[in-house]
Amino acid sequence: MTLLEIGKLAQQASYELAIADSKQKNAALETIALALEANEASIVAANKKDIEAGKQAGLTEALLDRLLLDESRLAGIISDLRSVINLSDPVGEEFDSKLLENGLKLSKRRVPVGVIGVIYEARPNVTIDIAALCLKTGNASILRGGKETINSNLVLVDVIQGALVAAGLPKTAVQYIENTDRALVGELLKMDQYVDMIIPRGNSGLQQFCKENSTIPVIIGGIGICHLFAEKSVDVEKALAIIENAKVQRPSVCNALDTLLVEQQIAAEFLPKLAAKLLPLGVTLVAEPKAKAILGDDASVAQEGDFSREWLSLHLGVKVVDGLGEALTHIREHSSQHSDGILTNDFTLANQFVNAVNSAAVYINASTRFTDGSQFGLGAEVAVSTQKLHARGPMGLQELTTYKWIGVGEYLTRT
Amino acid sequence: MTLLEIGKLAQQASYELAIADSKQKNAALETIALALEANEASIVAANKKDIEAGKQAGLTEALLDRLLLDESRLAGIISDLRSVINLSDPVGEEFDSKLLENGLKLSKRRVPVGVIGVIYEARPNVTIDIAALCLKTGNASILRGGKETINSNLVLVDVIQGALVAAGLPKTAVQYIENTDRALVGELLKMDQYVDMIIPRGNSGLQQFCKENSTIPVIIGGIGICHLFAEKSVDVEKALAIIENAKVQRPSVCNALDTLLVEQQIAAEFLPKLAAKLLPLGVTLVAEPKAKAILGDDASVAQEGDFSREWLSLHLGVKVVDGLGEALTHIREHSSQHSDGILTNDFTLANQFVNAVNSAAVYINASTRFTDGSQFGLGAEVAVSTQKLHARGPMGLQELTTYKWIGVGEYLTRT
């Protein structure tokens, strides 16, 4: 099947999904859950092939771990799938309804986006996760996973498609691009006739490729160069607890802290305490000259570009700034507009910071680690958008929908 | 000044605009209104140069009319500008506020998008219109008008910039690309580092060019291939009044009717009445074979591609369909997802139509001509989006904004 055929079939399927009600979509999701349980053995066996191939290809332990789908992980994924069933369906909601002076009864109705293309890498759980969230919101999906997970993904999609048919929905509601040739990604990105939204879940290289080559709207996201600014009025001990949480709890994720900005007036007191707290936890402090002068041997010297890196590790950039103005300038230059915050007891300054920093999530006295669909109470997370249109920050089910205007008249003409 | 410098300055200006309050922005708009009044003579004189050049270049009367900016039109534009002052400012509104179980006080705050690039053609009124709407919503704008209006636009932007400075805002909040070389449009579309949103206001060639070349999110829109489906239960006379309104009232605009679909069962009665009503008004009926067989000499034969054309004239495509299914198939194939409607007395069928047609605006027994920011009560119209992300249909002030999440804690860490 060509990619164009896949696109055409996805669009056709999207017409059926758009008029499916919540009950039908939830029944299909439960059918998928049951089918995944029933096919546990073949799924795990397919994944073993991927793991074997990965070992032979010399993948790192970390990558092999991301690849792994054993019985217990599959059970976890199926449990997550059942949570999606319990979420409320945003589709069909009507809002901004009004009877206009011209006589038109007007409202906005939330509807599926249509066809969503998702490009992702190693983890096979994404296959089920995204297929389920798209299905829940009445969207057809076209999935493109990494070549490392091809065996697992093909079996997973086969099981999902079988369940779709059993539930009376088109199997083309969830499709997978089997050909692992990278050129197909470029082709997918041009299929604006059939695909309505592209979600690239991967590194900045993939994001950039999509931005440059797609004629379809792309949800850029997932890259977090996150900042905290410790302002002079801050409660030092409490601030250090937040910094520890933001940096150490899970350093490999996008909402982890990358750079700490400390106001000059408190730097001499603050930075040694920071070192005392974080160094024993394995953190490496990477300091610009002013911070280095205070930290001495407790920090290495920041190199060109270090403040524009998403560390994804136990490194923390540290910089001394002379106040809010310099903090804002630094954040504007280096932030990926994911999550940035201020640590302060000064209410006025906190508000100035919030007004001036235009990131997807801006915090006052809270950890950047909160930027997460589950923490934000969205029930699910499709991606974390760092762009400004359509959706910002954690995207839940609602962000997989759009709206249409519905106008009802009694044979009404415009005057 | 290079385009990159323009972009950089626009971004800097956007930081100032983002923290300007409504009072300050409205004062700047009033200063612009006064400055336009004070500079009426030089504006009109500059426009005369454009008109002269246009005449020598052999522009049509219609184009010259679009180009014209005389005293009375300028007065109209200034009056529109003062209406923008009276609209309420969406920026700063907070919504979806909640105190989460994890202790985080979370809300979404509406904020400006940042820097908006607008590419448009002949009409000089767009320059003032867009500059004002962007300013009202705290966005910096980079304008690129057609080369036919260069003299008018340069004077207008000069007047606007003078007023901005007088009002204490950066003159770079509104900038104009003076170089009329088309290559600069391509360059603008790649400046995703500085520009957050592109609005192309022009024909489908421009829209396509932006879609294919932009690394910045583009608001595609303004192309309307609009349908009405006259279902067999319809009240014929009332339906004809809507069709006349949709086709004849202003045929040159995007929400005008392009194609009428008539259910077979009533076609023999309906179509002759249609011809009797529309032909005297100068409408040309363009019919597929079944409709042609009924209309005879009252219609011409539809050619390949006629049902995929936005007529923008007193032409109306006419097709007989065997019921809702064929109507939906035709609309899905040919609609530009701008405005489509059903004319019917059957409540169930009307709802099926509304559920199945995924256009920006879907109507029951109302004219497609209602798709308009002013008719929809938005107070202003920046563009009519026919894409699915960020905004659909008429875009008002709110659609020039995005949101950021604001999380406030009392030194809160994630568990």
Side-chain angles (χ1 to χ4, degrees):
Chain A
M1 190 148 43
T2 68
L3 207 52
L4 274 181
E5 284 165 338
I6 289 177
K8 222 175 275 188
L9 289 169
Q11 190 175 61
Q12 284 295 332
S14 78
Y15 298 147
E16 288 189 52
L17 290 176
I19 55 173
D21 61 21
S22 301
K23 210 172 147 187
Q24 197 181 358
K25 293 184 287 185
N26 285 336
L29 289 168
E30 178 57 28
T31 310
I32 292 173
L34 292 169
L36 290 170
E37 285 170 345
N39 289 278
E40 182 198 78
S42 63
I43 293 166
V44 170
N47 185 257
K48 280 199 176 121
K49 280 197 228 170
D50 287 330
I51 294 285
E52 268 319 302
K55 279 181 183 162
Q56 291 192 1
L59 294 190
T60 62
E61 279 304 313
L63 271 177
L64 287 171
D65 183 62
R66 292 183 66 191
L67 215 60
L68 182 69
L69 186 56
D70 56 17
E71 287 82 357
S72 106
R73 285 195 183 176
L74 183 61
I77 292 169
I78 293 168
S79 153
D80 287 347
L81 180 55
R82 291 211 163 97
S83 320
V84 172
I85 296 175
N86 292 324
L87 293 175
S88 75
D89 180 359
V91 170
E93 187 201 337
E94 298 209 354
F95 54 106
D96 291 354
S97 301
K98 49 192 169 182
L99 179 62
L100 296 166
E101 273 180 40
N102 56 23
L104 192 67
K105 198 174 152 295
L106 188 70
S107 49
K108 287 176 173 169
R109 183 190 292 179
R110 214 176 278 296
V111 294
V113 167
V115 177
I116 299 180
V118 185
I119 304 159
Y120 54 104
E121 287 165 353
R123 298 186 201 201
N125 65 306
V126 176
T127 305
I128 302 170
D129 205 24
I130 289 284
L133 295 171
C134 286
L135 185 57
K136 176 85 188 188
T137 46
N139 292 291
S141 53
I142 299 178
L143 310 176
R144 173 52 144 80
K147 67 173 190 298
E148 305 80 15
T149 42
I150 183 78
N151 291 297
S152 314
N153 283 340
L154 287 181
V155 171
L156 289 173
V157 171
D158 197 51
V159 170
I160 291 171
Q161 290 186 333
L164 285 168
V165 172
L169 289 174
K171 66 180 255 187
T172 46
V174 178
Q175 290 177 93
Y176 191 82
I177 302 177
E178 299 190 19
N179 187 328
T180 58
D181 184 352
R182 261 213 103 170
L184 288 193
V185 173
E187 213 181 298
L188 173 64
L189 297 177
K190 302 285 185 208
M191 295 199 337
D192 53 80
Q193 200 186 344
Y194 301 118
V195 182
D196 300 289
M197 180 196 238
I198 293 286
I199 303 178
R201 290 184 39 157
N203 59 29
S204 57
L206 175 67
Q207 309 272 336
Q208 193 61 24
F209 182 80
C210 289
K211 197 152 83 167
E212 284 171 8
N213 291 283
S214 184
T215 58
I216 303 162
V218 177
I219 300 294
I220 296 293
I223 310 292
I225 301 175
C226 303
H227 299 75
L228 286 174
F229 167 46
E231 190 269 337
K232 64 175 186 289
S233 70
V234 76
D235 186 319
V236 176
E237 290 307 323
K238 290 176 178 171
L240 290 172
I242 290 183
I243 294 162
E244 176 191 332
N245 181 254
K247 180 71 259 180
V248 178
Q249 191 190 38
R250 210 171 156 202
S252 64
V253 293
C254 60
N255 58 21
L257 179 64
D258 292 281
T259 300
L260 173 69
L261 305 170
V262 179
E263 186 159 7
Q264 184 135 32
Q265 212 169 311
I266 57 166
E269 177 207 351
F270 197 96
L271 291 179
K273 288 186 180 169
L274 176 81
K277 181 144 197 143
L278 296 191
L279 264 47
L281 300 171
V283 173
T284 301
L285 301 177
V286 180
E288 53 67 73
K290 275 193 213 165
K292 172 71 181 164
I294 297 168
L295 286 162
D297 290 345
D298 286 342
S300 64
V301 180
Q303 306 298 313
E304 173 83 27
D306 273 354
F307 287 105
S308 299
R309 283 178 67 166
E310 186 188 25
W311 289 109
L312 300 173
S313 65
L314 282 171
H315 288 73
L316 178 65
V318 183
K319 182 173 177 173
V320 173
V321 295
D322 58 18
L324 180 65
E326 194 182 352
L328 291 176
T329 303
H330 182 95
I331 290 172
R332 281 171 179 157
E333 192 177 337
H334 299 283
S335 168
S336 64
Q337 302 198 319
H338 187 296
S339 303
D340 299 295
I342 186 170
L343 304 172
T344 183
N345 281 335
D346 186 326
F347 186 70
T348 305
L349 265 174
N351 283 326
Q352 286 173 4
F353 181 90
V354 166
N355 291 341
V357 172
N358 193 1
S359 299
V362 187
Y363 293 101
I364 300 173
N365 297 340
S367 171
T368 55
R369 291 273 297 120
F370 281 108
T371 308
D372 171 278
S374 158
Q375 292 291 321
F376 276 16
L378 305 183
E381 183 179 289
V382 181
V384 178
S385 159
T386 56
Q387 41 142 49
K388 290 183 177 167
L389 297 197
H390 186 67
R392 292 191 92 186
M395 293 172 61
L397 291 177
Q398 188 176 304
E399 287 69 32
L400 289 180
T401 68
T402 180
Y403 59 87
K404 62 184 170 198
W405 297 85
I406 297 174
V408 181
E410 302 196 1
Y411 292 102
L412 196 67
T413 55
R414 176 171 170 181
T415 50
Chain B
M1 191 151 39
T2 68
L3 206 52
L4 273 181
E5 285 165 337
I6 289 177
K8 222 174 276 189
L9 289 170
Q11 190 175 62
Q12 284 294 333
S14 78
Y15 298 147
E16 287 189 53
L17 290 176
I19 54 173
D21 61 21
S22 301
K23 210 172 146 186
Q24 196 181 358
K25 292 184 287 185
N26 285 336
L29 289 168
E30 178 57 30
T31 310
I32 292 173
L34 292 169
L36 290 170
E37 285 169 347
N39 289 278
E40 183 198 78
S42 62
I43 293 167
V44 169
N47 185 258
K48 279 197 176 125
K49 280 197 226 171
D50 286 329
I51 294 285
E52 268 318 303
K55 279 181 183 160
Q56 291 192 1
L59 294 190
T60 62
E61 279 302 316
L63 270 178
L64 288 172
D65 184 62
R66 292 181 67 193
L67 215 61
L68 182 70
L69 186 57
D70 57 16
E71 286 81 356
S72 106
R73 285 195 182 176
L74 185 62
I77 292 170
I78 294 168
S79 153
D80 287 347
L81 180 56
R82 292 210 163 98
S83 320
V84 172
I85 296 174
N86 291 324
L87 294 175
S88 76
D89 180 359
V91 170
E93 187 201 338
E94 299 210 354
F95 55 105
D96 290 354
S97 301
K98 51 192 167 181
L99 180 62
L100 296 166
E101 271 179 43
N102 56 24
L104 192 68
K105 201 174 151 294
L106 189 70
S107 48
K108 287 176 173 170
R109 183 190 292 178
R110 215 175 280 295
V111 294
V113 167
V115 177
I116 299 179
V118 185
I119 304 159
Y120 54 104
E121 287 163 353
R123 301 186 201 201
N125 64 307
V126 175
T127 305
I128 302 169
D129 205 22
I130 289 283
L133 295 170
C134 286
L135 186 57
K136 175 84 186 186
T137 46
N139 292 291
S141 54
I142 299 178
L143 310 176
R144 173 50 146 81
K147 67 174 190 298
E148 306 78 14
T149 42
I150 185 76
N151 292 298
S152 315
N153 283 341
L154 288 181
V155 171
L156 289 173
V157 171
D158 197 51
V159 170
I160 291 171
Q161 290 186 333
L164 284 168
V165 172
L169 289 174
K171 65 180 254 191
T172 47
V174 178
Q175 291 178 91
Y176 191 82
I177 302 177
E178 300 189 17
N179 186 327
T180 59
D181 184 352
R182 261 212 104 170
L184 287 194
V185 173
E187 211 181 300
L188 173 64
L189 297 177
K190 303 283 185 210
M191 293 198 338
D192 53 80
Q193 202 186 343
Y194 302 117
V195 182
D196 300 289
M197 183 195 233
I198 293 286
I199 304 178
R201 290 184 39 158
N203 60 27
S204 57
L206 175 66
Q207 309 272 336
Q208 192 62 25
F209 182 80
C210 289
K211 197 151 82 167
E212 285 171 9
N213 292 284
S214 184
T215 59
I216 304 163
V218 176
I219 300 295
I220 296 293
I223 310 292
I225 302 176
C226 303
H227 300 76
L228 285 174
F229 168 46
E231 190 271 336
K232 64 176 186 289
S233 70
V234 76
D235 186 319
V236 175
E237 289 308 323
K238 290 176 178 170
L240 289 172
I242 289 183
I243 295 162
E244 176 191 331
N245 181 256
K247 179 72 260 179
V248 178
Q249 192 190 38
R250 209 171 158 203
S252 65
V253 292
C254 59
N255 58 19
L257 180 63
D258 293 280
T259 300
L260 174 69
L261 305 171
V262 179
E263 186 159 8
Q264 183 135 33
Q265 212 168 311
I266 57 166
E269 177 206 350
F270 196 95
L271 290 179
K273 288 187 181 169
L274 177 82
K277 181 144 197 139
L278 296 192
L279 265 46
L281 300 171
V283 174
T284 301
L285 301 177
V286 180
E288 54 66 73
K290 277 191 211 165
K292 172 71 181 166
I294 297 167
L295 286 163
D297 290 344
D298 284 343
S300 65
V301 179
Q303 305 298 312
E304 173 84 25
D306 272 354
F307 286 105
S308 299
R309 283 177 66 166
E310 186 188 25
W311 288 110
L312 301 174
S313 65
L314 282 171
H315 288 72
L316 178 65
V318 183
K319 182 175 178 173
V320 173
V321 295
D322 59 17
L324 179 65
E326 194 182 353
L328 291 177
T329 304
H330 181 95
I331 290 172
R332 280 172 179 157
E333 193 178 337
H334 299 282
S335 167
S336 64
Q337 303 199 318
H338 187 297
S339 303
D340 299 295
I342 186 169
L343 306 172
T344 182
N345 282 334
D346 185 326
F347 185 69
T348 305
L349 266 175
N351 282 325
Q352 286 174 5
F353 181 90
V354 166
N355 291 340
V357 172
N358 194 2
S359 298
V362 186
Y363 293 100
I364 301 173
N365 297 339
S367 171
T368 54
R369 291 272 297 121
F370 281 108
T371 308
D372 172 278
S374 157
Q375 292 290 321
F376 276 17
L378 305 183
E381 182 179 291
V382 180
V384 178
S385 158
T386 57
Q387 41 141 49
K388 290 183 178 167
L389 297 198
H390 186 68
R392 292 191 91 185
M395 293 170 62
L397 291 177
Q398 188 176 303
E399 287 70 29
L400 288 181
T401 68
T402 180
Y403 58 88
K404 62 184 169 196
W405 297 85
I406 297 174
V408 181
E410 302 197 1
Y411 293 103
L412 196 66
T413 55
R414 175 169 171 184
T415 51

